[in-house]
Amino acid sequence: MFNLSPKNDTVTMAIFAIAVLAMPLWLAPIGASYPDLLQKFAIFGIFAVGYNILFGLTGYLSFGHAAFLGVGSYAAVWSFKLVTMNVLPAVLFGTLIGGVFAALIGFVSLRRSGIYFSILTLAFAQMSYNLAYSVLTPITNGETGLQLTQQDPRIIDSLFVAAGEGLPSTNLFGLKMSGYPGFYFCAVLLIIAFFISLRIFRSPFGLKLLAIKSNQVRMNYTGFNTRPYMLIAFVVSGMYAGLAGSLLAVTDPLAGAERMQWTASGEVVLMTILGGAGTLVGPLLGAGIIKYFENIFSAYNDQLLHQMLAFLPDGMEGAVVALLGLFVGEGWHLTLGIIFMAIVIFLPGGLMEGIRRIGGMIQKRGGGKKPEQTGGVMRPTEQEG
Amino acid sequence: MNDTVLKVADVHKSFGGLHALRDVNLDIEQSKTHAIIGPNGAGKSTLLNVCVGRIEPDNGSVTFDGETLTGKKPHEINQVGVARVFQTPEIFPELTLMQNVMIPALAKRDGSFKFNAFRILQGENDIRDEAEHILEDLDLIDQRDSEAGSLSRGDKRRLELAMCLVQHPRLLLLDEPTAGMSRHDTNRTIDLLKRIKERGMTKVIIEHDMHVVFSLADRITVLAQGTVIAEGTPDEVRGNPQVQEAYLGGAHI
Ligand SMILES: Nc1ncnc2c1ncn2[C@@H]1O[C@H](COP(=O)(O)OP(=O)(O)OP(=O)(O)O)[C@@H](O)[C@H]1O
Ligand SMILES: [Mg+2]
């Protein structure tokens, strides 16, 4: 059985790192090995892993995390504009600003719990979104979005090279951050982010967060001041979001307010629940699946469907295309909605619960041993090491 | 001789028009077991709620070992050394028994806040040992890896007691610790509470079961309609006609 001792975590991390770095290989058969999509997997993976530290462990459902994602993007683009096209400062700055914003919003929102907390975070995120379009236009460049220009100062870069023709590209000490190098940069950060999340899950701190989710009243009468615990969980997940946002800018140096919209906040909730909130790898799985299907399904259009269904009799073809057309292209959200409903109804623990059930069935058939929690679910469960 | 450790002074609390507590005075002595009895709705639980900071009294104060508890937050009161078992068990239903007991042990060691996100829980041997020890003490060790929510009502109560005892509190407040337990489990709990008495822990126990009360109590306070109507040793209270009238409707205890 999967053991949760520190030694096993080393193995877990090694497998995880190899799996992430080898994504271009094993995702090739399903047509998902092109850099743009791989980058998205890694970036939204980070976003979801961080969100899970808040929602999965403490049960506080934030509907405003896209605000931190957006803020991270703006911070990174400003770093590109003012300082250097090197991605390291941009990523650090984005993470930091994500954390600062989360501290401010968290401080106020955490005065309430349950639905009121969710509404407060949603309100703050929508406020940020609207401000980005209005009052804060000097910082966000409004609807056009924040972009690089030829006239940007780039203080550090300008010391070394004269501004060339056209816009410079983001780089890591000269290595351009587009295509596969861009993916590998994001992948390494995903591995680090996952490692930190793993350690939090395994720590006394992580157990205390789980206990807050389970019974906050008992926590208080047990001697814990739950507020700072919640605030830290909130800020850490905000920093993950800021990091993810800055990576979006690394792979494409442009930031727009639409990243902060409530639908974007909802997406990370979907990812986490779809994969399995409170499990370590579930949110990653959710992020991957949503981004994959978004790409596949939204690429289909009626014309493509007609081609595929050309073998059907004429009248029937038209009807089938009209029906399927609802679920692809722009309508892919309908597909997502149906998948999501099915998961929530039949597998409330997300896909990880499905994997666990299948694992349990196989085990029962194999040796008749009692099915235990498998590797995917890595709550800080007490087990003999 | 008379070293009071918990002092409730002139505590008054009303909910709307209902006077749940009327100028209650209570002195609890060090290392003693003090029972509070009284009919339903007498204000017993409310009195404990005032002690642990769940309810702010309208008037009066509670001091523990010279420290004022009134106005303090629940977690601060716990950190002073006051633990409480609730009338309806407050446990962590989704977590295992081991985790349920390790959490209060961590609270005792780490204080009300500590950011130890980079330690590994598996490596906290002192905490695990303490937790295992207390689960053994309460005969719950066989279920150490079960979810607490799946326990019977009586076992949940014992688990909550374990969660309090693992903290080695100076004062333990028990709100009907044996309600819902079988006679067998009740007797085991009585034995356990007698054992911790030998360790010098002060206890306040609310109980309807007179067998439990007379097995454990050094002193008894009788509350009725928010007022203390009698106080004394078990024998004094047993013989008090006013108590028999108010509490037992005239029947003999
Ligand atoms: N938070 C509250 N809000 C309003 N009324 C309350 C509250 N807590 C207690 N009361 C009322 O105060 C009175 C005393 O309640 P309390 O729970 O202290 O009684 P008790 O002695 O513990 O009774 P029991 O033996 O049934 O547990 C009751 O009438 C109760 O309804
Ligand atoms: Mg009561």
Side-chain angles (χ1 to χ4, degrees):
Chain A
M1 217 54 244
F2 232 90
N3 229 327
L4 300 182
S5 66
K7 219 189 292 163
N8 265 286
D9 281 349
T10 320
V11 178
T12 310
M13 272 318 296
I15 295 173
F16 180 77
I18 292 168
V20 169
L21 294 174
M23 263 159 60
L25 295 179
W26 61 268
L27 287 178
I30 56 164
S33 67
Y34 55 98
D36 268 11
L37 186 55
L38 289 172
Q39 287 164 1
K40 279 208 181 104
F41 286 158
I43 294 170
F44 284 92
I46 292 173
F47 191 21
V49 165
Y51 186 75
N52 189 44
I53 292 173
L54 178 72
F55 177 56
L57 288 179
T58 73
Y60 275 61
L61 179 64
S62 162
F63 262 114
H65 262 53
F68 312 134
L69 186 87
V71 165
S73 286
Y74 283 122
V77 175
W78 273 112
S79 167
F80 294 142
K81 286 169 82 72
L82 297 180
V83 187
T84 168
M85 290 305 290
N86 190 319
V87 294
L88 280 188
V91 161
L92 285 176
F93 191 47
T95 310
L96 192 77
I97 295 286
V100 170
F101 257 71
L104 294 175
I105 293 183
F107 184 79
V108 180
S109 306
L110 287 168
R111 293 181 172 273
R112 291 283 171 271
S113 59
I115 187 77
Y116 301 101
F117 166 81
S118 303
I119 302 244
L120 278 172
T121 52
L122 176 65
F124 273 115
Q126 281 303 92
M127 206 162 80
S128 313
Y129 169 73
N130 285 320
L131 286 179
Y133 274 135
S134 53
V135 192
L136 296 178
T137 326
I139 300 174
T140 61
N141 204 21
E143 288 191 36
T144 326
L146 192 62
Q147 291 168 340
L148 302 178
T149 65
Q150 204 92 64
Q151 291 77 43
D152 293 333
R154 274 184 273 285
I155 303 166
I156 293 184
D157 286 0
S158 64
L159 294 177
F160 298 103
V161 277
E165 289 285 302
L167 292 170
S169 49
T170 57
N171 64 76
L172 181 67
F173 304 110
L175 179 67
K176 280 191 184 173
M177 287 290 109
S178 52
Y180 283 107
F183 160 67
Y184 280 109
F185 181 68
C186 298
V188 168
L189 287 172
L190 170 62
I191 292 167
I192 296 171
F194 182 79
F195 176 68
I196 293 173
S197 146
L198 177 93
R199 290 300 297 261
I200 291 177
F201 270 61
R202 294 286 192 268
S203 68
F205 182 76
L207 178 62
K208 291 172 200 168
L209 294 183
L210 265 185
I212 290 176
K213 174 175 170 179
S214 180
N215 187 346
Q216 183 147 201
V217 172
R218 187 20 104 189
M219 275 308 263
N220 286 324
Y221 291 96
T222 295
F224 286 111
N225 186 5
T226 49
R227 186 71 77 73
Y229 284 99
M230 286 306 309
L231 190 59
I232 287 186
F234 195 87
V235 170
V236 168
S237 71
M239 289 172 79
Y240 272 72
L243 171 63
S246 65
L247 287 175
L248 284 174
V250 163
T251 55
D252 181 15
L254 172 93
E258 74 285 346
R259 266 176 208 167
M260 302 178 141
Q261 217 178 350
W262 67 273
T263 48
S265 294
E267 196 178 58
V268 74
V269 181
L270 290 192
M271 289 171 176
T272 310
I273 293 178
L274 186 71
T279 65
L280 265 173
V281 280
L284 274 172
L285 209 61
I289 287 174
I290 288 185
K291 284 296 151 190
Y292 177 69
F293 282 107
E294 184 182 76
N295 268 265
I296 302 292
F297 279 94
S298 55
Y300 281 96
N301 53 33
D302 283 1
Q303 223 173 349
L304 218 57
L305 285 177
H306 273 294
Q307 275 172 25
M308 288 173 66
L309 299 170
F311 61 90
L312 291 172
D314 262 2
M316 205 168 146
E317 184 191 324
V320 173
V321 167
L323 181 69
L324 289 182
L326 291 174
F327 295 91
V328 297
E330 290 283 296
W332 106 270
H333 283 107
L334 189 58
T335 317
L336 177 64
I338 291 172
I339 297 175
F340 185 73
M341 281 194 290
I343 293 277
V344 169
I345 293 168
F346 297 108
L347 284 176
L351 291 171
M352 290 313 296
E353 188 185 324
I355 292 175
R356 222 179 324 144
R357 280 192 199 168
I358 293 170
M361 260 148 59
I362 292 172
Q363 268 228 324
K364 244 189 219 158
R365 228 174 258 177
K369 258 179 84 179
K370 197 180 107 198
E372 281 174 68
Q373 292 198 330
T374 39
V377 185
M378 299 184 195
R379 291 176 173 206
T381 321
E382 244 323 278
Q383 282 181 20
E384 219 49 72
Chain B
M1 150 84 218
N2 187 14
D3 39 342
T4 300
V5 62
L6 182 75
K7 191 169 180 62
V8 175
D10 299 323
V11 165
H12 194 99
K13 178 72 200 176
S14 46
F15 297 110
L18 177 84
H19 297 278
L21 295 172
R22 302 169 201 252
D23 302 317
V24 171
N25 285 284
L26 197 62
D27 286 1
I28 312 281
E29 285 172 42
Q30 176 78 48
S31 304
K32 291 281 159 65
T33 300
H34 196 122
I36 298 176
I37 61 173
N40 290 117
K44 307 181 294 294
S45 296
T46 305
L47 183 60
L48 289 202
N49 284 340
V50 169
C51 292
V52 296
R54 187 172 229 185
I55 287 177
E56 191 81 15
D58 301 333
N59 198 13
S61 68
V62 180
T63 44
F64 175 68
D65 212 7
E67 213 168 321
T68 306
L69 298 187
T70 347
K72 274 199 166 62
K73 298 213 175 83
H75 70 265
E76 294 168 330
I77 293 176
N78 175 280
Q79 290 289 348
V80 170
V82 180
R84 168 169 185 190
V85 173
F86 286 84
Q87 190 165 352
T88 37
E90 293 279 2
I91 54 173
F92 303 113
E94 293 86 2
L95 306 185
T96 66
L97 268 64
M98 261 309 262
Q99 290 174 328
N100 264 274
V101 185
M102 282 169 80
I103 290 161
L106 285 168
K108 174 82 175 176
R109 189 194 70 186
D110 294 349
S112 65
F113 174 74
K114 189 166 182 192
F115 179 66
N116 41 9
F118 288 97
R119 287 176 77 120
I120 291 185
L121 190 63
Q122 283 279 329
E124 306 274 15
N125 289 325
D126 48 338
I127 298 287
R128 294 164 55 97
D129 289 349
E130 273 184 74
E132 276 172 7
H133 186 84
I134 201 77
L135 286 182
E136 264 161 31
D137 230 6
L138 280 126
D139 261 334
L140 290 167
I141 193 75
D142 291 344
Q143 306 171 71
R144 49 173 291 166
D145 293 324
S146 331
E147 265 188 24
S150 68
L151 295 179
S152 70
R153 213 166 111 87
D155 281 352
K156 279 186 187 144
R157 245 169 229 295
R158 266 186 314 148
L159 175 62
E160 197 187 19
L161 188 56
M163 292 163 74
C164 289
L165 291 178
V166 78
Q167 295 192 315
H168 303 289
R170 289 194 283 158
L171 173 66
L172 180 59
L173 307 174
L174 302 139
D175 201 341
E176 303 191 21
T178 65
M181 279 190 190
S182 64
R183 179 58 33 194
H184 173 68
D185 280 348
T186 302
N187 285 335
R188 273 202 316 201
T189 307
I190 293 175
D191 288 344
L192 179 87
L193 292 174
K194 275 184 180 157
R195 258 188 290 146
I196 37 178
K197 187 169 166 183
E198 286 152 20
R199 294 177 210 160
M201 191 183 293
T202 311
K203 293 194 294 295
V204 174
I205 178 166
I206 293 177
E207 192 52 81
H208 283 296
D209 185 336
M210 287 306 138
H211 171 60
V212 178
V213 171
F214 288 108
S215 308
L216 290 170
D218 299 304
R219 285 191 81 77
I220 298 177
T221 294
V222 187
L223 267 185
Q225 292 172 3
T227 317
V228 175
I229 57 165
E231 210 205 299
T233 63
D235 286 337
E236 286 165 8
V237 169
R238 208 197 299 254
N240 187 324
Q242 213 185 335
V243 174
Q244 296 190 350
E245 180 60 37
Y247 187 32
L248 294 151
H252 277 277
I253 301 178

